[in-house]
Amino acid sequence: MVLFTGCFALGVWLLQQQTSLPGFGWAWLLLGFPVGLLIPNRPFALRASRTLLFAAFALGLGFYQAAWRAEQRLATSLPGEWQGRDIEVIGVVSDLPRRFEQGQHFRFDVEKILTPKAGVPEHLYLSTYYSRQAEPPVLHAGERWQLTVRLKQPHGSSNPHGFDFELWALENNVRAVGYVNGKAGNQRLAALAGGFNYRIQHWREHLRDKIAAALPDAPYAGVLTALAIGDQSSIPQAQWQVFTRTGVNHLMSISGLHITMLASLGFALAYWLWRRSVRLTLLLPARKAAALFALLVALGYSLLSGFAVPAQRTVYMAGAVTVALWMNRKFSPAQILGIALFGVLISDPWSILSPGFWLSFGAVALILYVTAYRLKPSHLLVEYARVQWAMTIGLVPMLLALFQQVSLVSPIANAFAIPLVSLVVVPLTLLGAALPPYWGIGGAPLWLAHGVTALTMSLLEWLNSLPQAVWTQHAPPQWSIAAGMLGALLILLPRGFPGRWLGVVLMLPMFLNGPPQPAEGNLRMTIFDVGQGLAVAAQTRHHALLYDAGPDFSGGADSGNRILVPSLRAMGIRKLDGLILTHDDTDHTGGAASIMQAMPMDWLSSSLPAGHPLLQTSTQKRRCMDGQSWQWDGVLFEILHPEKASYAQANISDNNRGCVLRISIANQHILLTADIEAASEAELLDRHPDKLPATLLVVPHHGSKTSSTVKFISAVRPRYAVFTSGYRNRFGHPKQDIVKRYADSGAALLRSDQDGAILVDMNADQLRVERYRNTHRRYWTHSALP
């Protein structure tokens, strides 16, 4: 079973690395596997051949099963001609709506399409937005609605080490995204639609509202909500940061640990009660009855949580143990874990790419590695300490590969947080959620759980405030991750095993082998795909500059904490020598606060007005203005705009006061122009006609009609013109007239909405560009048409 599941998982993983789905012609070879069963088990050579054939069969089965699932799911999509058009549909809110400051996000199952000839996928991800013109509908889980929606095909940003929204949409069977037209005649048709899943989601929202009503204005009510129903969006971003930095974020949602503890409690209770009755014991052994009850408890809690990968893994493992007891058989721990792995991958082959998959299965595998098959049982506290040591050492390679950071205070934090949260907070929260409100005591367990959570948070915040609470670094090379995993396993071998010290040697390359830095006189630049906005990182041999910080999104999420900080950290940039915020516009400054909080920075240069909140957080700040220049490692940086006198002129728009940066190495030049418009372009033509020619130009104002005059383009004469714009953005950027203008000039056109991040390498002899979306394409990658 272990060999089969491991090879099956490898086949699933290999499928997810493909740029296109394979044909199924070779799949027929899998039918030849029964012939291999005729191979005798002796001698050794024949037995080895049979084993290899079995492994190849499992690998092929995993590969083609995942390919078949992917082909089925990709067969449904929103037709291109129906993007951005009003479509009337009837359907059901199929998930817990997530609130944010501008409205709601929710999933919607389409039952009927009212607009003639419209083609709409069955599963949508929609948003509502507040506006002055119309109040958006307030929707609840399980309700049936008639809505007017505007949709587009799933399309996310594409950046190095970034989140893949298109993969998330495929895994969750979301085949179109969009928003509800608040001006249309949207109406609720039924308070609760039929269907088991809709009732589950309705109950989840009821419990969320119950906790919110019982704990009004309580700072950690969101944590209790996440523990009760798995709604992690209820936890504020600041609290998530504390949990992540202290290494207890796995506790602050419904994890496999919580489900296991609750199922164990259910087992003990059912076992004790069942043994009280002689008749029941004679009818069915207490252990079998208790195992079945524990499985039902695990399944119920998992369904309440949204049935994520850790919950699935726990349920399948509990199911395997229950089946073994009922069949009077004994499964090894490795077999039980293999059954869970097989169950997860059969139902969700894309989960193998998610961090939760690797951390969940990796943690359980480590626990079994240090506790199973021991000759002598240890004291409970010794066993607990051994498991914590295994988690601390064994998960380091995965954490560095996935997040490029490891909490150094995690062992201490988990030592007290695990028992407090799992044994006290979770049971009290579930008790408070289950008690009817009319009893008058339903809120008491919730308040008690909140008090214990507050105590836990005070300790976590103290640990978080310690210097060097978190180790952050670059993304290690893949080979060093494999070596690090082997090293961790060596270190965790039983005491007295020879060669354990080699584990330390094998783990060192993860820390010592950083990404190669640009040579002296070279520049590496990343023009990030941040949607409708701008963010550019420029890296020389020993320095790094960030030019603008992209847009703000919603609910504490911005391009800084979601895109830029993870990417910069993975690239080996731990400190910014400079940050330029070109002008006061949220699509250029929206991620700045997150970046300034997460990364040390030498200086901030901007055209922001005095008193701007971002200026108050920087001690070294200055205004950008024409004439400023500096040289880093043989690379020249020059500010060409705005003039110093412009800061005294109130009639100049923020766009026209944007900081224009020129980066030069010998005869190769890059021109970054922010959102300047025609007036500023004319000023540059007057003041710096000799400094405008550029090999690469980041097109002004995302390709707006207010910029990119014919004279300006003729003066710059770029070989590459880069448009930074969001997919199907509401401004219609870049405008087709402007695109044609650059195409007619002979420039090669690059667009972040089509090409993803643009990676640039420049030296004195040449400038090379890479379209990240094209070079890192997978079979699910969306192809954005012009």
Side-chain angles (χ1 to χ4, degrees), residues 14-76:
L14 287 174
L15 186 277
Q16 311 306 344
Q17 311 308 311
Q18 305 305 306
T19 58
S20 60
L21 289 177
F24 286 86
W26 291 97
W28 294 104
L29 292 177
L30 297 176
L31 298 178
F33 172 70
V35 177
L37 297 178
L38 301 177
I39 299 176
N41 265 334
R42 296 188 179 92
F44 174 78
L46 293 178
R47 187 164 65 247
S49 299
R50 180 171 175 158
T51 301
L52 287 175
L53 181 62
F54 181 74
F57 170 76
L59 188 147
L61 186 63
F63 184 86
Y64 282 108
Q65 185 269 345
W68 176 70
R69 292 289 308 279
E71 187 177 71
Q72 281 191 320
R73 195 154 286 188
L74 290 172
T76 304

Side-chain angles (χ1 to χ4, degrees), residues 5-154:
T5 305
C7 292
F8 183 89
L10 178 60
V12 173
W13 181 83
L14 287 174
L15 186 277
Q16 311 306 344
Q17 311 308 311
Q18 305 305 306
T19 58
S20 60
L21 289 177
F24 286 86
W26 291 97
W28 294 104
L29 292 177
L30 297 176
L31 298 178
F33 172 70
V35 177
L37 297 178
L38 301 177
I39 299 176
N41 265 334
R42 296 188 179 92
F44 174 78
L46 293 178
R47 187 164 65 247
S49 299
R50 180 171 175 158
T51 301
L52 287 175
L53 181 62
F54 181 74
F57 170 76
L59 188 147
L61 186 63
F63 184 86
Y64 282 108
Q65 185 269 345
W68 176 70
R69 292 289 308 279
E71 187 177 71
Q72 281 191 320
R73 195 154 286 188
L74 290 172
T76 304
S77 63
L78 177 71
E81 63 269 20
W82 283 99
Q83 293 190 98
R85 297 171 62 180
D86 282 347
I87 305 174
E88 281 191 83
V89 295
I90 293 176
V92 181
V93 180
S94 61
D95 195 9
L96 194 68
R98 267 68 177 181
R99 306 178 188 121
F100 66 107
E101 62 270 18
Q102 301 175 19
Q104 290 179 304
H105 299 305
F106 60 96
R107 297 189 201 179
F108 193 73
D109 288 350
V110 177
E111 297 177 319
K112 186 177 182 180
I113 304 170
L114 302 180
T115 302
K117 299 182 180 180
V120 178
E122 183 180 354
H123 304 289
L124 312 177
Y125 188 70
L126 300 175
S127 302
T128 61
Y129 296 96
Y130 293 102
S131 66
R132 298 177 182 176
Q133 292 78 18
E135 191 76 13
V138 179
L139 303 97
H140 300 281
E143 292 180 340
R144 178 176 284 113
W145 278 79
Q146 177 178 325
L147 301 174
T148 300
V149 298
R150 290 185 180 178
L151 305 173
K152 61 183 178 180
Q153 297 164 354

